[in-house]
Amino acid sequence: EVQLVESGGGLVQPGGSLRLSCAASGFTFSSYWMHWVRQAPGKGLVWVSRINSDGSSTSYADSVKGRFTISRDNAKNTLYLQMNSLRAEDTAVYYCARDRKSSGWSNWGQGTLVTVSS
Amino acid sequence: SYELTQPPSVSVSPGQTARITCSGDALPKQYAYWYQQKPGQAPVLVIYKDSERPSGIPERFSGSSSGTTVTLTISGVQAEDEADYYCQSADSSGTYKVFGGGTKLTVL
């Protein structure tokens, strides 16, 4: 069974940093591109970032470019999102998702809540 | 930045057909995907590659594409279909992914 389990969320002050993790199991993690998607309270889904299968290529939404870094450790079957210079508007549930190319993002984690507040 | 436009809400009675549209300039070049999200839950893929249905998704869910608009159709809507629906695609280069603003489907 495919599982994606996010962790690392919590309360952080504006300007602070946080690293999210997404532990993958039930599939060959190193074969798939992965994404981070966030959802502010009561709002819609917003794509944040993606990484290719070997970690050599990444892309970011304009709203997080230069502040967030996506990475992966294929030996540990884990995806990461390093978030720096956090702002109140970064407050959201963060989901990781498996990209099955043209078959869509068929697997999502349960999400981890990040709250940026003083 | 690239945007996908969805109606904020759609309401239908049980047994009727719901249609949710999504418009974007790059849709003729990029596939669209549809996700269903119920309160407190992660999104679930219901349509991929404009019109393909993943295994386990009921046949009443279908998708279509015409020019810069894609449409999710739910035939014979059931109470359990009440949820938020999001289209997702990419800009013309395929590099930047984007979601529509979401459509709240209400089953009257």
Side-chain angles (χ1 to χ4, degrees):
Chain A
E1 179 195 4
V2 172
Q3 277 201 316
L4 296 170
V5 180
E6 301 95 338
S7 61
L11 175 63
V12 61
Q13 292 189 340
S17 298
L18 213 54
R19 188 176 84 157
L20 306 183
S21 299
C22 169
S25 61
F27 65 101
T28 306
F29 179 70
S30 60
S31 296
Y32 292 89
W33 291 30
M34 298 291 294
H35 298 265
W36 287 101
V37 175
R38 70 184 182 183
Q39 187 170 37
K43 303 296 185 181
L45 300 172
V46 176
W47 174 76
V48 173
S49 182
R50 71 91 181 145
I51 189 167
N52 70 345
S53 57
D54 67 4
S56 62
S57 173
T58 60
S59 60
Y60 300 90
D62 287 345
S63 58
V64 306
K65 200 172 297 183
R67 300 188 299 123
F68 290 12
T69 302
I70 189 172
S71 63
R72 64 193 297 160
D73 185 335
N74 285 344
K76 295 183 177 179
N77 291 340
T78 303
L79 174 72
Y80 302 102
L81 186 68
Q82 177 67 43
M83 304 186 296
N84 298 331
S85 303
L86 282 162
R87 307 166 180 168
E89 54 264 36
D90 296 318
T91 294
V93 172
Y94 285 73
Y95 296 98
C96 60
R98 176 172 77 139
D99 187 342
R100 296 185 62 201
K101 291 296 184 181
S102 58
S103 296
W105 303 357
S106 54
N107 304 100
W108 295 63
Q110 84 289 349
T112 186
L113 177 63
V114 172
T115 303
V116 184
S117 175
S118 55
Chain B
S1 60
Y2 182 54
E3 294 183 353
L4 296 174
T5 301
Q6 297 180 235
S9 62
V10 168
S11 300
V12 296
S13 298
Q16 290 191 327
T17 297
R19 293 181 180 86
I20 300 172
T21 59
C22 172
S23 299
D25 290 342
L27 287 175
K29 305 173 191 169
Q30 299 290 337
Y31 284 126
Y33 303 82
W34 289 94
Y35 297 88
Q36 176 195 68
Q37 187 182 36
K38 296 181 179 179
Q41 298 183 18
V44 173
L45 178 69
V46 295
I47 293 290
Y48 67 96
K49 282 173 63 177
D50 292 346
S51 60
E52 301 293 322
R53 193 174 54 250
S55 61
I57 299 301
E59 290 184 8
R60 63 181 181 273
F61 288 85
S62 63
S64 61
S65 175
S66 179
T68 59
T69 299
V70 294
T71 302
L72 172 68
T73 300
I74 310 172
S75 304
V77 166
Q78 301 182 5
E80 67 199 53
D81 300 329
E82 187 164 284
D84 294 324
Y85 291 85
Y86 296 89
C87 61
Q88 181 259 311
S89 187
D91 68 347
S92 57
S93 73
T95 300
Y96 300 99
K97 312 302 183 183
V98 64
F99 287 91
T103 299
K104 181 175 181 58
L105 175 65
T106 300
V107 182
L108 301 171

